[in-house]
Amino acid sequence: MRDMTDRTSAVAQAVPGFPHDAGGPVFREPWQAQAFAMTLTLYDRGLFTWPEWAAMLAAEIERARARGDPDTGDTYYHHWLAALERIVAEKRVTDAHTLSRYHDAWDRAADRTPHGMPIELQPEDFRAT
Amino acid sequence: MANPDHHHDHGGDHAGGSELSDMQLRVRALETILTEKGYVEAAALDAIIEACETRIGPHNGARVVAKAWIDAGFRKALLEDGSKAVAGLGHDSRVGEHLVAVENTPDTHNIVVCTLCSCYPWDLLGLPPVWYKSTQYRSRTVKDPRGVLHDFGVTLPATTKIRVWDSTAETRFLVVPMRPAGTDGWTEDQLAALVTRDSMVGTGLAQPPGKAV
């Protein structure tokens, strides 16, 4: 199986014009895997149908292209996460303001955590700046 | 492990601390909210990720194709109702309503694309490769499938028709490539090793027997 993957990847690398697929881990960064898994979980819970999700993702990709994103596939999970944020807001699970508040809290948590230590969210991270 | 270049100070308060990228911050924010509201659990998310990275992948699709090659009854069932035939092998479809298997013949080569986003039969092929998600593949495959195949190193006889299948959220496609010559009497396992991911998307062919190790 490994050999097959290597061969496929060698072919892909030889293909001009296509971003090649390294044949490595399916997610390039852990956040991509988290975003993917959260989407599947919310779908399983019936928060949205798959056609709804596909439409949301397609719209996000379209918006990104309109902004000049080259859309080579590398930014795919950026669009994915943006679509996920949008759909949870649309389904009133949360809203942009709350997302932004938690985003900033995590940023503060990272700031005060010594490098190499696990970053954990504390109530104090929600303080207003 | 101190690395003075590691910290990209925005307001000067990162010094000595950790840093998360904006994407990491957004994912953590969303995950925290969804966890607090009881929509997701960390352990369940990890299980999905683990499955994506190990259990699901093109080897599942390869087994389906190999079985279709040696079992005429299964081949017929697969072409008639892909979802049902595949569910019979224990591959329950996670997303999407319908799996349609399309068979390559000397007359017709099938290639799959999703022009809108990147619908893809994950459960059988794993997550889609980067090129599948690119605008270039999505737009060019419809307009110039022969050119795309050429870029992938596949040249078909001029008499072979190329059929492009555009996936939707409801319908996903699995290409059943042609069985390579010289594989008479091969077992399902041996045959499955010849079935590449690209051959099941239609951007490649099954490997000839000499190349399988």
Side-chain angles (χ1 to χ4, degrees), chain A residues 19-89:
Chain A
H20 81 265
D21 174 50
V26 290
F27 300 108
R28 296 197 169 179
E29 295 179 54
W31 69 262
Q32 300 178 346
Q34 295 294 120
F36 179 83
M38 283 193 278
T39 309
L40 227 52
T41 305
L42 294 177
Y43 163 77
D44 278 345
R45 292 185 56 117
L47 191 68
F48 45 78
T49 65
W50 208 251
E52 273 183 295
W53 168 252
M56 193 62 93
L57 180 58
E60 201 55 56
I61 292 172
E62 211 33 65
R63 261 193 293 275
R65 287 178 64 188
R67 285 195 307 266
D69 183 284
D71 193 19
T72 53
D74 289 331
T75 48
Y76 181 73
Y77 279 104
H78 289 76
H79 310 326
W80 183 291
L81 179 59
L84 183 58
E85 289 169 338
R86 213 176 267 268
I87 208 165
V88 295

Side-chain angles (χ1 to χ4, degrees), chain B residues 5 25 28 31 36 42 58 94 115 145 151 156 158 162 176 181 195:
Chain B
D5 295 330
L25 290 171
R28 282 189 187 223
E31 186 177 342
E36 284 176 1
R94 239 199 121 84
T115 51
D151 282 354
L156 297 171
I162 300 176
V176 180
V195 185

